[in-house]
Structures are given as structure tokens and as C-alpha cells.
Amino acid sequence: MPPDSPAWTILEVLKWTAAFFDERHVEGAQLSAELLLAHTLGIKRLDLYLRYDQPLSPDELSAYRALIKRRARGEPVAYILGEKAFWTMTLTVAPDVLIPRPDTECLVETALAVLPDQSSDASPFRVLEMGTGSGAVIIALAGEASHCRFFALDRSTRAVAVAAGNARKQGLSGNIDFVVSDWFAALLPDAGGYDLIVVNPPYIPSAEISNLAIEIRDFEPRTALDGGQDGLRDIRHIISTAPRYLKPGGRLMIEIGWDQKAAVTRLAEAAGAYGPLSFARDLAGHDRVARLQVKYPG
């Protein structure tokens, strides 16, 4: 670790840290070094290079050293900093919630495409997110379409607290109702129904969890990752149950694994409640979001 010496400048510390992380196969070594040092100094990443020859004080080096140790053990930068950028926001994250991924912005974009330009006061467009975690998806949607009504569920009381805090931070606490619920358990099928349900469920097969990167496997909540033996346990339940909570013509959008298109298609067809199924692709070209629509009566 860098010694406690004012001779260490910002640039020197960054070079040393990136090399240290590389030796230990830390993912995103340079970016990790920059984010942690900017956080330690209370400045933006860009300012690190504008002030590259600024020496660090012993206290700053000591604080930075503590963060280096945590990252070297595999702890995700987002948990160390307590925040993660998603959509147009910076969200609070904690080990109780999954760290929002860029891939999940595909779910936001796909949902936004079906939200109405405006809702009538008598019958506002109702959007439900299940397994909200940090609240990333529902808060992004509420920020873009305040005329709709938004609801979010999670089985974890601590996750709901994180999500509600993020909604307050974005000035949207009055736009979203947060409820603790294990999927549909706290909902009434005859409560008026939803126009859209969005969900990013656990979809990694249990046997594959041990092969994940250490920062995911050992630090992120397993309940948000593990989709059971075939990765489809929760997706299967959601697809079969959602029609009871959707209005006629209502939509269900599910983030899925890159190789689950065929399996999800079979589940949707077996449910017998949906019209033709379609998929939205992420930036890597993978079928990332399954789009299902409940059939209209008759």
C-alpha cells in the first residue's frame, strides 16, 4: 500500500492502485482506482487529472488505503461508495439490494414505449414493479411519466426502505407506493388491475451462482440472483400468475437471461392467457426483455 507520505501525488497514487488491482485481477482496475480516490477526496473523476500533481495528506492516504483493501477483497465499488448511476439518476445502494445494471435500462426503455402521453384523472395508467430492489426501474419510469400511478413491491423490508429513500431523493416519494410483498402475495386480484407489470426477477440457475465473479457471488444478495434449478422458477410463477392482476390488454414485461428466450416463449404459450410474444434486445443484441400482453375478452 502507498506509504503515509505527502510525496504521493494523485497521479502516482492512481498508477500504483491500478497496477495493484491488476495484479489481483480486480475488474475495472483503473476505473475502480479513480472512483475510490475521487470519493476519498470529495471531487469529480475529471478533477483527478486536472489536479494530478496535488499531493495527498496522510489522512487522505489512510482513508484511501481502507477503500483499496475493500475493493481488493472483491467488494463492488457501488457498495463501497454507497451509490450507483442508473438512467439519469444516482441511486443509493446497499448490500440488501442488487446493484442496478446497464442491461436493465432496456427494461425501462421498453416500458416507456407503452406508457400513455397522459392519463385521465378518472382512470390513471397503473404501473407495478415487482422485486423493486433499489427502486431503479420504477423510479426511472415515474420520473419520465408522472401522470401515471406507480406501485412497487419487494419481499425484503430493507430493500423497500432503500427504494423508498431513493424515491425521496429524486423528489418522487409521492408518486410511488412501496409495499413489502413476496411477489403477488400482498395483492388482491380484484383490486382494479394494472395496465403494466414490470419485473427483473432472479434468473440465474442455482448451479451457475458459484461461477459468477466474486464481486457478484460473494457480495450481492443471492435471493436477487438465484432463479432455482433451471433459472426459471420465479419467471414461471410470474407468467402464470400475472394475468389475474392485469387488466384485459394489460402488459407484462420481464427481464430475462440472454439464453432464455425459447424457454420463456414456451411458458407464455402454456399459460394460455397472452397474445403473441415479442422481445426487446439490449445493446449487446441479446433478447433481454420479454413483452407479453393479456388477451382481450373474446
Side-chain angles (χ1 to χ4, degrees):
M1 295 292 169
D4 292 326
S5 168
W8 283 83
T9 65
I10 285 177
L11 186 59
E12 289 169 339
V13 168
L14 282 176
K15 288 181 177 179
W16 185 95
T17 308
F20 177 77
F21 284 159
D22 272 331
E23 290 174 1
R24 285 152 182 79
H25 307 291
V26 172
E27 185 176 348
Q30 183 68 36
L31 179 59
S32 293
E34 293 172 355
L35 289 171
L36 295 178
L37 186 54
H39 177 77
T40 300
L41 301 179
I43 61 177
K44 297 179 180 179
R45 277 178 61 206
L46 176 61
D47 291 335
L48 294 172
Y49 294 98
L50 297 177
R51 297 158 59 173
Y52 67 94
D53 57 350
Q54 174 183 313
L56 274 67
S57 71
D59 286 346
E60 289 168 339
L61 278 172
S62 178
Y64 185 51
R65 185 183 296 109
L67 302 188
I68 291 173
K69 290 179 180 178
R70 292 172 64 181
R71 185 70 183 111
R73 289 194 294 265
E75 185 174 355
V77 171
Y79 288 156
I80 297 173
L81 303 186
E83 63 183 29
K84 177 67 175 179
F86 180 83
W87 199 245
T88 60
M89 312 168 291
T90 298
L91 300 172
T92 296
V93 294
D96 304 309
V97 302
L98 196 70
I99 297 170
R101 268 63 167 179
D103 285 345
T104 300
E105 293 191 357
C106 181
L107 180 59
V108 175
E109 292 169 349
T110 306
L112 284 175
V114 304
L115 296 188
D117 292 334
Q118 60 182 16
S119 298
S120 68
D121 293 335
S123 181
F125 195 90
R126 291 161 55 89
V127 181
L128 168 68
E129 184 191 13
M130 297 191 299
T132 192
S134 66
V137 171
I138 202 72
I139 294 170
L141 295 176
E144 299 286 348
S146 60
H147 53 278
C148 299
R149 284 204 64 191
F150 296 93
F151 306 84
L153 312 176
D154 200 288
R155 71 184 68 177
S156 166
T157 302
R158 289 179 293 185
V160 168
V162 171
N166 278 322
R168 286 193 298 272
K169 191 164 69 170
Q170 298 299 321
L172 294 168
S173 57
N175 300 58
I176 310 169
D177 292 332
F178 292 96
V179 178
V180 177
S181 178
D182 187 358
W183 299 129
F184 300 94
L187 302 180
L188 298 175
D190 58 353
Y194 298 93
D195 296 281
L196 172 64
I197 295 176
V198 295
V199 56
N200 177 16
Y203 53 72
I204 300 173
S206 301
E208 295 180 14
I209 298 293
S210 61
N211 299 324
L212 297 175
I214 187 173
E215 60 183 38
I216 300 173
R217 182 192 70 211
D218 292 352
F219 290 92
E220 297 201 61
R222 184 173 180 126
T223 55
L225 299 167
D226 192 339
Q229 184 175 358
D230 60 0
L232 299 167
R233 178 194 59 218
D234 298 291
I235 292 175
R236 185 178 293 110
H237 173 63
I238 291 163
I239 288 176
S240 64
T241 309
R244 283 182 270 164
Y245 299 87
L246 284 164
K247 296 177 181 179
R251 293 177 169 89
L252 169 64
M253 297 185 180
I254 310 175
E255 180 173 327
I256 63 173
W258 66 271
D259 58 348
Q260 293 177 328
K261 178 180 179 179
V264 169
T265 299
R266 289 193 294 271
L267 290 174
E269 291 173 348
Y274 302 100
L277 175 66
S278 63
F279 294 84
R281 291 184 174 180
D282 60 21
L283 293 177
H286 298 134
D287 292 298
R288 183 60 60 185
V289 177
R291 296 179 290 210
L292 301 85
Q293 186 170 19
V294 174
K295 296 176 182 176
Y296 287 94

